[in-house]
PDB file of all heavy atoms in Angstrom:
ATOM      1  N   MET B   1     111.121 287.622  31.681  1.00 46.00           N
ATOM      2  CA  MET B   1     111.638 288.984  31.612  1.00 46.00           C
ATOM      3  C   MET B   1     111.072 289.694  30.394  1.00 46.00           C
ATOM      4  O   MET B   1     110.541 290.765  30.454  1.00 46.00           O
ATOM      5  CB  MET B   1     113.160 288.922  31.472  1.00 46.00           C
ATOM      6  CG  MET B   1     113.928 289.700  32.486  1.00 46.00           C
ATOM      7  SD  MET B   1     113.508 289.473  34.184  1.00 46.00           S
ATOM      8  CE  MET B   1     114.937 290.288  34.923  1.00 46.00           C
ATOM      9  N   THR B   2     111.157 289.028  29.255  1.00 38.00           N
ATOM     10  CA  THR B   2     110.686 289.611  28.010  1.00 38.00           C
ATOM     11  C   THR B   2     109.303 289.040  27.700  1.00 38.00           C
ATOM     12  O   THR B   2     109.068 287.866  27.880  1.00 38.00           O
ATOM     13  CB  THR B   2     111.623 289.234  26.854  1.00 38.00           C
ATOM     14  OG1 THR B   2     112.869 288.899  27.396  1.00 38.00           O
ATOM     15  CG2 THR B   2     111.745 290.351  25.892  1.00 38.00           C
ATOM     16  N   GLN B   3     108.420 289.897  27.229  1.00 38.00           N
ATOM     17  CA  GLN B   3     107.095 289.417  26.876  1.00 38.00           C
ATOM     18  C   GLN B   3     106.481 290.258  25.780  1.00 38.00           C
ATOM     19  O   GLN B   3     105.808 291.251  26.024  1.00 38.00           O
ATOM     20  CB  GLN B   3     106.186 289.472  28.104  1.00 38.00           C
ATOM     21  CG  GLN B   3     105.838 288.081  28.606  1.00 38.00           C
ATOM     22  CD  GLN B   3     105.277 288.145  30.004  1.00 38.00           C
ATOM     23  OE1 GLN B   3     105.654 289.012  30.771  1.00 38.00           O
ATOM     24  NE2 GLN B   3     104.391 287.230  30.321  1.00 38.00           N
ATOM     25  N   THR B   4     106.697 289.848  24.535  1.00 38.00           N
ATOM     26  CA  THR B   4     106.192 290.598  23.401  1.00 38.00           C
ATOM     27  C   THR B   4     105.054 289.791  22.764  1.00 38.00           C
ATOM     28  O   THR B   4     104.414 289.010  23.435  1.00 38.00           O
ATOM     29  CB  THR B   4     107.311 290.807  22.362  1.00 38.00           C
ATOM     30  OG1 THR B   4     108.558 290.758  23.033  1.00 38.00           O
ATOM     31  CG2 THR B   4     107.169 292.151  21.695  1.00 38.00           C
ATOM     32  N   ARG B   5     104.868 289.972  21.458  1.00 37.00           N
ATOM     33  CA  ARG B   5     103.860 289.227  20.728  1.00 37.00           C
ATOM     34  C   ARG B   5     102.439 289.421  21.256  1.00 37.00           C
ATOM     35  O   ARG B   5     101.927 288.625  22.054  1.00 37.00           O
ATOM     36  CB  ARG B   5     104.219 287.730  20.783  1.00 37.00           C
ATOM     37  CG  ARG B   5     103.179 286.793  20.158  1.00 37.00           C
ATOM     38  CD  ARG B   5     103.733 285.392  20.109  1.00 37.00           C
ATOM     39  NE  ARG B   5     104.802 285.343  19.152  1.00 37.00           N
ATOM     40  CZ  ARG B   5     104.616 285.286  17.857  1.00 37.00           C
ATOM     41  NH1 ARG B   5     103.399 285.259  17.376  1.00 37.00           N
ATOM     42  NH2 ARG B   5     105.641 285.242  17.045  1.00 37.00           N
ATOM     43  N   PRO B   6     101.775 290.485  20.823  1.00 43.00           N
ATOM     44  CA  PRO B   6     100.412 290.784  21.253  1.00 43.00           C
ATOM     45  C   PRO B   6      99.406 289.853  20.581  1.00 43.00           C
ATOM     46  O   PRO B   6      98.765 289.039  21.228  1.00 43.00           O
ATOM     47  CB  PRO B   6     100.199 292.236  20.821  1.00 43.00           C
ATOM     48  CG  PRO B   6     101.585 292.748  20.486  1.00 43.00           C
ATOM     49  CD  PRO B   6     102.303 291.531  19.948  1.00 43.00           C
ATOM     50  N   ASN B   8     100.204 288.595  17.127  1.00 60.00           N
ATOM     51  CA  ASN B   8     100.915 288.396  15.864  1.00 60.00           C
ATOM     52  C   ASN B   8     100.320 287.247  15.054  1.00 60.00           C
ATOM     53  O   ASN B   8      99.320 286.657  15.435  1.00 60.00           O
ATOM     54  CB  ASN B   8     102.382 288.082  16.171  1.00 60.00           C
ATOM     55  CG  ASN B   8     102.998 289.148  17.050  1.00 60.00           C
ATOM     56  OD1 ASN B   8     102.310 289.707  17.886  1.00 60.00           O
ATOM     57  ND2 ASN B   8     104.248 289.434  16.854  1.00 60.00           N
ATOM     58  N   ARG B  11     100.565 281.065  15.769  1.00 89.00           N
ATOM     59  CA  ARG B  11     101.708 280.142  15.807  1.00 89.00           C
ATOM     60  C   ARG B  11     101.214 278.703  15.660  1.00 89.00           C
ATOM     61  O   ARG B  11     100.349 278.256  16.409  1.00 89.00           O
ATOM     62  CB  ARG B  11     102.419 280.333  17.154  1.00 89.00           C
ATOM     63  CG  ARG B  11     103.701 279.566  17.259  1.00 89.00           C
ATOM     64  CD  ARG B  11     104.699 280.370  18.038  1.00 89.00           C
ATOM     65  NE  ARG B  11     105.276 281.432  17.229  1.00 89.00           N
ATOM     66  CZ  ARG B  11     106.036 282.414  17.740  1.00 89.00           C
ATOM     67  NH1 ARG B  11     106.235 282.460  19.030  1.00 89.00           N
ATOM     68  NH2 ARG B  11     106.562 283.319  16.938  1.00 89.00           N
ATOM     69  N   ARG B  17     107.704 271.469  17.876  1.00 98.00           N
ATOM     70  CA  ARG B  17     107.468 272.411  18.970  1.00 98.00           C
ATOM     71  C   ARG B  17     106.894 271.707  20.192  1.00 98.00           C
ATOM     72  O   ARG B  17     107.316 271.956  21.326  1.00 98.00           O
ATOM     73  CB  ARG B  17     106.492 273.497  18.498  1.00 98.00           C
ATOM     74  CG  ARG B  17     106.289 274.590  19.517  1.00 98.00           C
ATOM     75  CD  ARG B  17     105.214 275.570  19.056  1.00 98.00           C
ATOM     76  NE  ARG B  17     104.966 276.570  20.078  1.00 98.00           N
ATOM     77  CZ  ARG B  17     105.590 277.737  20.146  1.00 98.00           C
ATOM     78  NH1 ARG B  17     106.492 278.033  19.261  1.00 98.00           N
ATOM     79  NH2 ARG B  17     105.311 278.596  21.106  1.00 98.00           N
ATOM     80  N   TYR B  53     116.709 276.145  17.987  1.00 98.00           N
ATOM     81  CA  TYR B  53     117.048 277.534  18.267  1.00 98.00           C
ATOM     82  C   TYR B  53     115.863 278.452  18.010  1.00 98.00           C
ATOM     83  O   TYR B  53     115.541 279.325  18.801  1.00 98.00           O
ATOM     84  CB  TYR B  53     118.234 277.970  17.403  1.00 98.00           C
ATOM     85  CG  TYR B  53     119.575 277.622  18.012  1.00 98.00           C
ATOM     86  CD1 TYR B  53     120.325 276.556  17.540  1.00 98.00           C
ATOM     87  CD2 TYR B  53     120.076 278.355  19.083  1.00 98.00           C
ATOM     88  CE1 TYR B  53     121.559 276.233  18.114  1.00 98.00           C
ATOM     89  CE2 TYR B  53     121.295 278.050  19.657  1.00 98.00           C
ATOM     90  CZ  TYR B  53     122.035 276.982  19.166  1.00 98.00           C
ATOM     91  OH  TYR B  53     123.238 276.671  19.733  1.00 98.00           O
ATOM     92  N   ARG B  54     115.225 278.262  16.862  1.00 98.00           N
ATOM     93  CA  ARG B  54     114.090 279.126  16.528  1.00 98.00           C
ATOM     94  C   ARG B  54     112.967 279.015  17.549  1.00 98.00           C
ATOM     95  O   ARG B  54     112.406 280.015  17.994  1.00 98.00           O
ATOM     96  CB  ARG B  54     113.550 278.730  15.147  1.00 98.00           C
ATOM     97  CG  ARG B  54     113.967 279.632  14.043  1.00 98.00           C
ATOM     98  CD  ARG B  54     113.255 279.245  12.749  1.00 98.00           C
ATOM     99  NE  ARG B  54     113.277 277.796  12.555  1.00 98.00           N
ATOM    100  CZ  ARG B  54     113.802 277.190  11.489  1.00 98.00           C
ATOM    101  NH1 ARG B  54     114.350 277.896  10.542  1.00 98.00           N
ATOM    102  NH2 ARG B  54     113.765 275.885  11.383  1.00 98.00           N
ATOM    103  N   THR B  55     112.659 277.788  17.921  1.00 98.00           N
ATOM    104  CA  THR B  55     111.564 277.589  18.856  1.00 98.00           C
ATOM    105  C   THR B  55     111.880 278.144  20.241  1.00 98.00           C
ATOM    106  O   THR B  55     111.028 278.748  20.890  1.00 98.00           O
ATOM    107  CB  THR B  55     111.239 276.087  18.958  1.00 98.00           C
ATOM    108  OG1 THR B  55     111.007 275.586  17.641  1.00 98.00           O
ATOM    109  CG2 THR B  55     110.002 275.857  19.796  1.00 98.00           C
ATOM    110  N   LEU B  56     113.108 277.943  20.684  1.00 98.00           N
ATOM    111  CA  LEU B  56     113.496 278.475  21.997  1.00 98.00           C
ATOM    112  C   LEU B  56     113.340 279.985  21.991  1.00 98.00           C
ATOM    113  O   LEU B  56     112.851 280.593  22.935  1.00 98.00           O
ATOM    114  CB  LEU B  56     114.946 278.090  22.311  1.00 98.00           C
ATOM    115  CG  LEU B  56     115.152 276.651  22.739  1.00 98.00           C
ATOM    116  CD1 LEU B  56     116.629 276.320  22.843  1.00 98.00           C
ATOM    117  CD2 LEU B  56     114.455 276.383  24.067  1.00 98.00           C
ATOM    118  N   GLN B  57     113.762 280.579  20.892  1.00 98.00           N
ATOM    119  CA  GLN B  57     113.668 282.024  20.755  1.00 98.00           C
ATOM    120  C   GLN B  57     112.210 282.461  20.885  1.00 98.00           C
ATOM    121  O   GLN B  57     111.898 283.427  21.582  1.00 98.00           O
ATOM    122  CB  GLN B  57     114.198 282.374  19.366  1.00 98.00           C
ATOM    123  CG  GLN B  57     114.653 283.775  19.145  1.00 98.00           C
ATOM    124  CD  GLN B  57     115.385 283.867  17.813  1.00 98.00           C
ATOM    125  OE1 GLN B  57     116.524 283.420  17.694  1.00 98.00           O
ATOM    126  NE2 GLN B  57     114.731 284.398  16.787  1.00 98.00           N
ATOM    127  N   ALA B  58     111.329 281.719  20.225  1.00 97.00           N
ATOM    128  CA  ALA B  58     109.903 282.041  20.279  1.00 97.00           C
ATOM    129  C   ALA B  58     109.371 281.886  21.705  1.00 97.00           C
ATOM    130  O   ALA B  58     108.634 282.733  22.202  1.00 97.00           O
ATOM    131  CB  ALA B  58     109.136 281.121  19.330  1.00 97.00           C
ATOM    132  N   LEU B  59     109.741 280.809  22.360  1.00 97.00           N
ATOM    133  CA  LEU B  59     109.272 280.570  23.725  1.00 97.00           C
ATOM    134  C   LEU B  59     109.747 281.663  24.675  1.00 97.00           C
ATOM    135  O   LEU B  59     109.042 282.045  25.602  1.00 97.00           O
ATOM    136  CB  LEU B  59     109.757 279.194  24.209  1.00 97.00           C
ATOM    137  CG  LEU B  59     109.089 278.006  23.518  1.00 97.00           C
ATOM    138  CD1 LEU B  59     109.771 276.707  23.896  1.00 97.00           C
ATOM    139  CD2 LEU B  59     107.610 277.957  23.898  1.00 97.00           C
ATOM    140  N   VAL B  60     110.939 282.154  24.422  1.00 97.00           N
ATOM    141  CA  VAL B  60     111.466 283.219  25.262  1.00 97.00           C
ATOM    142  C   VAL B  60     110.631 284.473  25.047  1.00 97.00           C
ATOM    143  O   VAL B  60     110.235 285.148  25.993  1.00 97.00           O
ATOM    144  CB  VAL B  60     112.947 283.512  24.923  1.00 97.00           C
ATOM    145  CG1 VAL B  60     113.397 284.800  25.601  1.00 97.00           C
ATOM    146  CG2 VAL B  60     113.817 282.349  25.379  1.00 97.00           C
ATOM    147  N   GLU B  61     110.333 284.773  23.802  1.00 96.00           N
ATOM    148  CA  GLU B  61     109.525 285.956  23.510  1.00 96.00           C
ATOM    149  C   GLU B  61     108.136 285.842  24.128  1.00 96.00           C
ATOM    150  O   GLU B  61     107.548 286.835  24.548  1.00 96.00           O
ATOM    151  CB  GLU B  61     109.388 286.139  22.000  1.00 96.00           C
ATOM    152  CG  GLU B  61     110.649 286.690  21.351  1.00 96.00           C
ATOM    153  CD  GLU B  61     110.548 286.698  19.829  1.00 96.00           C
ATOM    154  OE1 GLU B  61     109.495 286.299  19.299  1.00 96.00           O
ATOM    155  OE2 GLU B  61     111.544 287.086  19.184  1.00 96.00           O
ATOM    156  N   GLU B  62     107.630 284.635  24.173  1.00 95.00           N
ATOM    157  CA  GLU B  62     106.302 284.417  24.748  1.00 95.00           C
ATOM    158  C   GLU B  62     106.352 284.483  26.271  1.00 95.00           C
ATOM    159  O   GLU B  62     105.330 284.443  26.944  1.00 95.00           O
ATOM    160  CB  GLU B  62     105.773 283.041  24.335  1.00 95.00           C
ATOM    161  CG  GLU B  62     105.389 282.969  22.866  1.00 95.00           C
ATOM    162  CD  GLU B  62     105.114 281.530  22.452  1.00 95.00           C
ATOM    163  OE1 GLU B  62     104.744 280.721  23.318  1.00 95.00           O
ATOM    164  OE2 GLU B  62     105.271 281.218  21.259  1.00 95.00           O
ATOM    165  N   GLY B  63     107.547 284.523  26.811  1.00 96.00           N
ATOM    166  CA  GLY B  63     107.687 284.597  28.259  1.00 96.00           C
ATOM    167  C   GLY B  63     107.544 283.264  28.978  1.00 96.00           C
ATOM    168  O   GLY B  63     107.460 283.201  30.192  1.00 96.00           O
ATOM    169  N   GLN B  64     107.552 282.170  28.234  1.00 97.00           N
ATOM    170  CA  GLN B  64     107.414 280.850  28.854  1.00 97.00           C
ATOM    171  C   GLN B  64     108.764 280.284  29.257  1.00 97.00           C
ATOM    172  O   GLN B  64     108.853 279.328  30.035  1.00 97.00           O
ATOM    173  CB  GLN B  64     106.763 279.867  27.884  1.00 97.00           C
ATOM    174  CG  GLN B  64     105.380 280.267  27.452  1.00 97.00           C
ATOM    175  CD  GLN B  64     104.767 279.219  26.545  1.00 97.00           C
ATOM    176  OE1 GLN B  64     104.967 278.025  26.739  1.00 97.00           O
ATOM    177  NE2 GLN B  64     104.031 279.655  25.537  1.00 97.00           N
ATOM    178  N   VAL B  65     109.810 280.828  28.677  1.00 98.00           N
ATOM    179  CA  VAL B  65     111.146 280.312  28.937  1.00 98.00           C
ATOM    180  C   VAL B  65     112.102 281.448  29.296  1.00 98.00           C
ATOM    181  O   VAL B  65     112.016 282.536  28.738  1.00 98.00           O
ATOM    182  CB  VAL B  65     111.656 279.559  27.691  1.00 98.00           C
ATOM    183  CG1 VAL B  65     113.159 279.336  27.771  1.00 98.00           C
ATOM    184  CG2 VAL B  65     110.922 278.230  27.544  1.00 98.00           C
ATOM    185  N   ASP B  66     112.992 281.177  30.258  1.00 98.00           N
ATOM    186  CA  ASP B  66     113.995 282.164  30.647  1.00 98.00           C
ATOM    187  C   ASP B  66     115.346 281.758  30.068  1.00 98.00           C
ATOM    188  O   ASP B  66     115.623 280.568  29.928  1.00 98.00           O
ATOM    189  CB  ASP B  66     114.117 282.230  32.171  1.00 98.00           C
ATOM    190  CG  ASP B  66     113.041 283.128  32.778  1.00 98.00           C
ATOM    191  OD1 ASP B  66     112.254 283.698  32.010  1.00 98.00           O
ATOM    192  OD2 ASP B  66     113.008 283.250  34.009  1.00 98.00           O
ATOM    193  N   VAL B  67     116.171 282.743  29.742  1.00 97.00           N
ATOM    194  CA  VAL B  67     117.506 282.468  29.206  1.00 97.00           C
ATOM    195  C   VAL B  67     118.540 282.926  30.220  1.00 97.00           C
ATOM    196  O   VAL B  67     118.315 283.870  30.968  1.00 97.00           O
ATOM    197  CB  VAL B  67     117.794 283.280  27.936  1.00 97.00           C
ATOM    198  CG1 VAL B  67     118.916 282.645  27.155  1.00 97.00           C
ATOM    199  CG2 VAL B  67     116.548 283.434  27.124  1.00 97.00           C
ATOM    200  N   TYR B  77     118.504 277.530  28.673  1.00 98.00           N
ATOM    201  CA  TYR B  77     117.071 277.808  28.723  1.00 98.00           C
ATOM    202  C   TYR B  77     116.367 276.993  29.790  1.00 98.00           C
ATOM    203  O   TYR B  77     116.767 275.870  30.090  1.00 98.00           O
ATOM    204  CB  TYR B  77     116.461 277.520  27.356  1.00 98.00           C
ATOM    205  CG  TYR B  77     117.151 278.267  26.234  1.00 98.00           C
ATOM    206  CD1 TYR B  77     118.335 277.770  25.679  1.00 98.00           C
ATOM    207  CD2 TYR B  77     116.654 279.479  25.767  1.00 98.00           C
ATOM    208  CE1 TYR B  77     118.995 278.467  24.666  1.00 98.00           C
ATOM    209  CE2 TYR B  77     117.304 280.183  24.758  1.00 98.00           C
ATOM    210  CZ  TYR B  77     118.472 279.668  24.215  1.00 98.00           C
ATOM    211  OH  TYR B  77     119.123 280.360  23.232  1.00 98.00           O
TER     212      TYR B  77
END
Side-chain angles (χ1 to χ4, degrees):
Chain B
M1 234 49 167
T2 338
Q3 249 164 328
T4 334
R5 175 172 291 282
N8 306 34
R11 187 144 283 170
R17 185 185 176 92
Y53 275 104
R54 258 186 315 238
T55 306
L56 284 172
Q57 201 169 285
L59 290 171
V60 169
E61 284 173 1
E62 289 170 26
Q64 299 183 37
V65 165
D66 277 358
V67 200
Y77 306 82

